[in-house]
Amino acid sequence: MKAYRIDSGAGIGALQQFERASAPLGAGQVRVRVRAVSLNFRDLMIAKGTYLSEPVAPFVPASDAVGEIVEVGADSRLWKVGDRVATSFFPHWLQGAPTPYATRDAFGAVVDGVLAEEIVVSEQSVFAVPAHLDDAQAATLTCAGVTAWNAMFVEAKLQPGASVLLLGTGGVSIWGLQLAKAAGLQAIVTSSSDEKLVRAKALGADATVNYRTTPEWQDEVRALTGGRGVDAVLEVGGKGTLQRSIDAAAMGGTIAVIGGVSGFAGEFDPFALITGAKRLSGIYVGSRGMAEDLSRFVGVNRIVPVVDRVFGFDQARQAYDYLDGGAHFGKVVIQVAG
């Protein structure tokens, strides 16, 4: 069967398709025919060698797959042939708080990922996806969807009527917007593109801020909330945005630190956290239990994740390039099989 491999730090151009034998199926495992794979900013970081961990090279990249179970191993009781499932980002983090042991492996970074026609994984490392989603949409739950869910409803514990600030219009932020509106939250979205902000409004954003024309956007966010600030910020920017996100948060608010599009270095004023009783919370995607909760919520509320563009399996390198260009609104997906 066909798969892709890459060496960490070798660049997007090093992504190569190759043939490999199907893996044997062990006890407690399932064989999944992959139908779609969703890309994340992490996949670009790994290709460029800027990710936090160094995979053993060469390796199969990507973490987010949806597919159909085509075979179950001995002692496998959770699934049957024909079930439609998605991968959990961390194959061993099933429930509860994160631990070094539970997060010791991650698909597409520490162990082989999912950019392949077929994968063999533990039956514990997949979850059921909502029936109303197509394959491309369902593939986006694993990382971006779970990360937004964890940040808003697990860490920040937001309740209906609360407010959230979403930086940019990438996968996590757009997922956050859709979940926020389904949960009855006030959502504010930032972007440097007025066109993207119009699209965010169409998805239900209560207010938008162009951070290029309004460089002191934290002041505008406070003004939009009557001077109070937001209850939570999904901080994906990093070096260039962290202090502004802290300033935009309300007293007692949570700044969920998710990514570092502009880098992970940078200073912030700890006194602002103390006097504002604010909390910086690192978000490391989430558990399979969170993925299951998210999937149920999406199913009940009939949420349809935003997929910007779908590439064919033979166009994987173009999909990486497109994501790297930053023009996307929502998620970028590779269709592996029909």
Side-chain angles (χ1 to χ4, degrees), residues 14-79:
L15 186 68
Q16 294 180 332
Q17 190 178 123
F18 72 108
E19 292 274 352
R20 72 172 182 181
S22 295
L25 190 67
Q29 291 185 316
V30 292
R31 191 182 307 277
V32 180
R33 180 179 295 123
V34 178
R35 291 181 174 173
V37 171
S38 177
L39 296 180
N40 298 296
F41 186 71
R42 182 192 76 147
D43 299 315
L44 299 180
M45 295 176 68
I46 291 174
K48 297 174 182 180
T50 59
Y51 192 57
L52 304 177
S53 61
E54 283 294 325
V56 177
F59 69 102
V60 178
S63 56
D64 304 19
V66 69
E68 177 186 355
I69 292 178
V70 294
E71 187 180 1
V72 296
D75 299 324
S76 297
R77 292 177 171 81
L78 295 180
W79 308 102

Side-chain angles (χ1 to χ4, degrees), residues 127-243:
F127 63 96
V129 297
H132 74 280
L133 300 183
D134 65 27
D135 293 331
Q137 294 160 352
T140 72
L141 275 75
T142 296
C143 182
V146 172
T147 297
W149 178 271
N150 186 5
M152 294 194 300
F153 304 118
V154 179
E155 287 296 316
K157 297 179 174 60
L158 298 182
Q159 297 294 322
S163 55
V164 61
L165 173 63
L166 306 156
L167 303 188
T169 54
V172 173
S173 295
I174 294 303
W175 254 112
L177 171 59
Q178 293 185 279
L179 293 175
K181 297 319 298 176
L185 308 180
Q186 178 190 11
I188 302 172
V189 178
T190 71
S191 174
S192 62
S193 165
D194 286 335
E195 179 184 353
K196 289 182 177 181
L197 291 177
V198 169
R199 295 180 67 182
K201 275 278 195 180
L203 280 175
D206 296 279
T208 60
V209 182
N210 186 314
Y211 62 78
R212 182 164 294 163
T213 58
T214 309
E216 301 298 324
W217 49 264
Q218 73 280 6
D219 295 335
E220 180 65 14
V221 170
R222 297 194 73 88
L224 289 167
T225 54
R228 177 178 179 273
V230 292
D231 296 295
V233 182
L234 270 59
E235 167 55 60
V236 299
K239 181 179 180 180
T241 57
L242 180 56
Q243 184 60 56

Side-chain angles (χ1 to χ4, degrees), residues 5 7 77 92 102 113 126 148 200 205 216 248-249 282 295 311 330:
R5 61 188 171 197
D7 290 321
R77 292 177 171 81
H92 308 297
V126 294
E216 301 298 324
S295 187
F311 291 81

